[in-house]
Structures are given as structure tokens and as C-alpha cells.
Amino acid sequence: TANLIIPIGLALAASIGQDIVTVGLLLAAACSMGMMLPVSTPPNAIAYVSGFDIDWIVNSVAVSPTE
């Protein structure tokens, strides 16, 4: 995502006279936060679109009881 969006964003920022460092940092932060979305990767997108309730799987793995 960053490989595509950052060069385009920097070119647009330079063409309208904005500071490219600030725009670059904002774009990098926005691209890195994509992992928090439920469809951030293709396998997650397939699981999300399927409608299968995966919350119980995520919760059982993430919050497994210790013995």
C-alpha cells in the first residue's frame, strides 16, 4: 500500500506546494494503520466477506486460559 500511495501523495503535495515531509509522514502513518482494519490483507478480506463469525476463534486464541 505504501509503495503505491506515498509516491503519488508526495508528487501531489509537491505540485500544490505542501511540505512533502509532513505529507510523507502522514501517509506512512495512514498506511501502517491499515493492519487494524478487518480486511487489511487478502486472507482477512476473504474471511470477512464470507460472513463466518470468527470472533470466537480470535478470542479463544488471543485470550486462552493458562493452566
Side-chain angles (χ1 to χ4, degrees):
T1 304
N3 290 334
L4 179 66
I5 292 180
I6 290 179
I8 294 171
L10 293 180
L12 287 172
S15 70
I16 61 173
Q18 293 294 318
D19 181 28
I20 60 171
V21 174
T22 304
V23 172
L25 290 173
L26 291 172
L27 289 172
C31 289
S32 68
M33 292 181 191
M35 66 168 201
M36 294 186 290
L37 298 174
V39 292
S40 60
T41 62
N44 288 347
I46 293 168
Y48 184 75
V49 171
S50 71
F52 183 72
D53 185 18
I54 60 170
D55 288 339
W56 66 273
I57 297 172
V58 173
N59 290 336
S60 65
V61 172
V63 191
S64 60
T66 58
E67 294 182 40

